Amino acid sequence: MCDDDHGNGVPRRALFVTGAAAALTLGSVTFASGADAAGGPGTPASGTETRTVRGTLPTGSPDFVYLPVEVPRGVREIKVAYTYEKPSVPAGTAGNALDIGIFDERGTDLGGRGFRGWSGGARSEFFLRGDDATPGYLPGPVRPGTWHIALGPYTVAPQGLPYEVTVTLTYGEQAVTPKPVYPPARARGRGRAWYRGDCHLHSWYSDGRRTPAEIAALARAAGLDFINSSDHNTHSSHPHWADQAGDDLLILLGEEITTRNGHVLALGTDPGTFVDWRYRARDNRFGKFARRVREAGGLVVPAHPHATCIGCGWKFGFGEADAVEVWNGPYTPDDEIALADWDNMLVAAVRSGGHGERGWLPAMGNSDAHRDPDHVGTPQTVVLADDLTREAVQAGLRAGRSYVAESQLVSLAFTASGARGEHAGIGERLKVAPDTPVTVRVEAAGAPRCTVRLVTDEGLLFTSDPLPVSGAGTVEWRTTAAYAAYVRAELRHEAAAGPLPGALAAFTNPIFLGDAR
């Protein structure tokens, strides 16, 4: 049972359970002028009113606790501040962490229209009004009705989670909401070419510390042609990227849908698209919201599927995915696990004969950069696209015509050819007879002392000598479709010690060999 103590003379109220299994709703917060919500003479024309709510959430609390706020007529701004205690806990025990957001009078229905903002645990207060809002929140009218402050007890210490929420209403005339302006869906490209991008970036509109202008400048410095906005559980940044786009930089819009069972990128959705995150794998609701992403023109890309942070590991499966983020930020052991897991999925696709549309899952890599010293563009996905447009880049990513490189300095060309001039590139199929000799060729640059490794459905079958200090070199390997159903390339740094391979400098999506079943 949660305690719910409303300060300032508002009586204590008990909790009741909503229709959702993983949510609770507290008693309502009301204001003195609430009796005149219809706009009677008692409604203040100006000034402020404040209420404070205190309570304690126990261990085992639901994922979301909603605090209703009865907003009367005549309110021009809502401000919310909150604090919570962080007691010491034994080593290995999770402490307190409490997220926050808000829904307006249209309600808290899953996937509904009531969402007005979310800051997770990144901010201790926020405001919203017609013409402005705290980053992470949506400016717009403050209409009368029942609003809901959403509290998300991410982790709760054994002692419980004591919290305090203060709500301040400011009365006055509504401000005019500006019409949003979004970045264009195309930039000046080079026709069909290889374009570099980073599709997992966080700004100060969620838990990042960089402005869109700072991110765009870093993207240009990193040699990127396109980026994708991916703030946690909010699309509030979408209108703030238009000024940063240009002929040299395509800016896609999206969201990192951050659930308690993993994170997934909505990549390149229509401007203003919100995708809900309030569900777990056991709720069987992810498919609905994956379709929502695709209906809005986006790609569904599970992020860092083997990350070890609480709630970060991917638990929804990959049946709804368009690609998977195998490499996230500086290369670490969980990326190595993700790479191996993805390779196993390639083998499963070969076994099932799934080589056609959505028959195999392409890989990509992104920086997940939040703040200094995170490097935008480390790593970056290099995609073969017909032009530098939203649709063309997405088509290249969906088809797997891409490789991942640690920086703009690293580039490679990867091809397979048959004895009669047949030819295939990354993400394609070389259609040859099972016993036809196949020549696999890797041309690398910007990878000094790296080794080239070729991996097939049978495993690692070839490792080159280290490339020269110039970083450039060409490697060829011969095989047949009977021996290798697919082949993919890796560039690896020298290993520090022991039997484990060195960190990746680059890797490709596969080339499939032989006729598809």
Side-chain angles (χ1 to χ4, degrees):
M1 185 70 176
C2 301
D3 292 329
D4 179 24
D5 179 12
H6 292 222
N8 296 334
V10 181
R12 179 183 182 128
R13 290 177 172 86
L15 288 172
F16 60 90
V17 182
T18 69
L24 290 173
T25 300
L26 300 159
S28 295
V29 178
T30 59
F31 288 79
S33 57
D36 299 281
T43 302
S46 62
T48 63
E49 286 190 279
T50 297
R51 294 288 181 268
T52 297
V53 178
R54 301 177 185 88
T56 299
L57 301 176
T59 55
S61 289
D63 290 346
F64 301 100
V65 175
Y66 295 104
L67 175 63
V69 179
E70 300 300 332
V71 176
R73 294 186 186 276
V75 175
R76 74 181 306 270
E77 179 181 292
I78 294 179
K79 181 178 179 180
V80 177
Y82 82 120
T83 61
Y84 60 94
E85 294 182 13
K86 300 178 181 179
S88 298
V89 295
T93 300
N96 283 335
L98 183 63
D99 295 341
I100 196 167
I102 195 168
F103 292 78
D104 67 18
E105 85 290 346
R106 290 172 289 184
T108 62
D109 288 348
L110 195 64
R113 301 178 61 193
F115 176 77
R116 289 296 295 270
W118 182 259
S119 49
R123 301 182 186 277
S124 60
E125 61 181 45
F126 63 86
F127 77 91
L128 51 88
R129 61 174 184 257
D131 62 341
D132 199 5
T134 299
Y137 294 80
L138 306 178
V142 180
R143 291 178 290 261
T146 303
W147 290 52
H148 290 83
I149 296 169
L151 300 175
Y154 197 67
T155 54
V156 179
Q159 302 95 315
L161 196 161
Y163 65 88
E164 179 180 289
V165 178
T166 298
V167 183
T168 300
L169 304 184
T170 299
Y171 294 87
E173 185 177 351
Q174 292 278 352
V176 176
T177 303
K179 183 178 180 179
V181 178
Y182 301 111
R186 64 169 52 246
R188 183 184 297 168
R190 305 181 298 278
R192 187 173 175 85
W194 292 93
Y195 296 100
R196 293 176 178 263
D198 187 347
C199 294
H200 190 166
L201 296 161
H202 295 278
S203 74
W204 69 354
Y205 286 89
S206 61
D207 62 342
R209 292 295 179 267
R210 291 167 173 156
T211 65
E214 290 169 330
I215 293 171
L218 291 169
R220 288 180 166 96
L224 300 182
D225 301 294
F226 65 93
I227 59 175
N228 177 71
S229 72
S230 57
D231 283 307
H232 293 286
N233 295 344
T234 180
H235 59 294
S236 63
S237 74
H238 286 192
H240 300 279
W241 288 101
D243 291 344
Q244 309 311 319
D247 288 344
D248 63 332
L249 185 65
L250 173 68
I251 299 180
L252 308 178
L253 302 176
E255 176 187 336
E256 183 172 13
I257 305 161
T258 306
T259 80
R260 298 299 179 89
N261 283 164
H263 303 181
V264 57
L265 303 177
L267 196 164
T269 53
D270 294 336
T273 298
F274 166 66
V275 185
D276 215 323
W277 72 95
R278 294 170 295 158
Y279 43 84
R280 295 196 184 207
R282 66 192 180 207
D283 299 324
N284 294 317
R285 288 169 171 164
F286 175 66
K288 171 183 176 180
F289 292 99
R291 290 190 293 275
R292 167 73 175 131
V293 172
R294 282 192 283 272
E295 288 167 357
L299 302 183
V300 177
V301 184
H304 46 66
H306 290 275
T308 56
C309 49
I310 295 174
C312 296
W314 185 246
K315 307 296 184 185
F316 294 91
F318 296 93
E320 295 285 352
D322 296 299
V324 58
E325 184 187 76
V326 167
W327 185 353
N328 174 276
Y331 200 72
T332 58
D334 59 274
D335 297 309
E336 188 71 34
I337 295 170
L339 182 68
D341 191 36
W342 171 67
D343 193 73
N344 288 339
M345 287 192 280
L346 294 179
V347 174
V350 168
R351 185 175 64 247
S352 63
H355 306 140
E357 180 71 18
R358 293 187 55 77
W360 64 281
L361 190 63
M364 62 185 307
N366 302 296
S367 72
D368 199 1
H370 285 69
R371 61 188 69 83
D372 293 339
D374 298 350
H375 292 284
V376 172
T378 301
Q380 51 194 250
T381 298
V382 190
V383 59
L384 179 61
D386 289 337
D387 207 345
L388 189 52
T389 68
R390 169 186 165 189
E391 290 186 356
V393 167
Q394 289 176 320
L397 293 173
R398 189 186 296 110
R401 298 192 305 265
S402 60
Y403 67 91
V404 181
E406 65 181 356
S407 76
Q408 63 182 317
L409 300 177
V410 179
S411 62
L412 58 82
F414 179 48
T415 59
S417 57
R420 297 181 179 179
E422 305 95 333
H423 182 274
I426 299 171
E428 298 177 340
R429 168 169 293 281
L430 184 69
K431 296 182 178 180
V432 293
D435 58 350
T436 297
V438 173
T439 299
V440 176
R441 181 181 176 89
V442 180
E443 300 175 50
R449 303 299 299 168
C450 287
T451 58
V452 177
R453 294 170 24 127
L454 298 176
V455 182
T456 76
D457 55 306
E458 191 176 354
L460 175 63
L461 291 184
F462 175 83
T463 302
S464 75
D465 293 330
L467 296 174
V469 293
S470 67
T474 300
V475 170
E476 289 190 349
W477 178 67
R478 288 172 176 79
T479 186
T480 64
Y483 189 53
Y486 68 83
V487 59
R488 61 179 184 83
E490 298 178 354
L491 294 180
R492 293 271 186 170
H493 290 286
E494 294 179 289
L500 295 178
L504 279 177
F507 78 94
T508 72
N509 276 299
I511 299 173
F512 291 96
L513 306 180
D515 289 327
R517 297 178 190 174

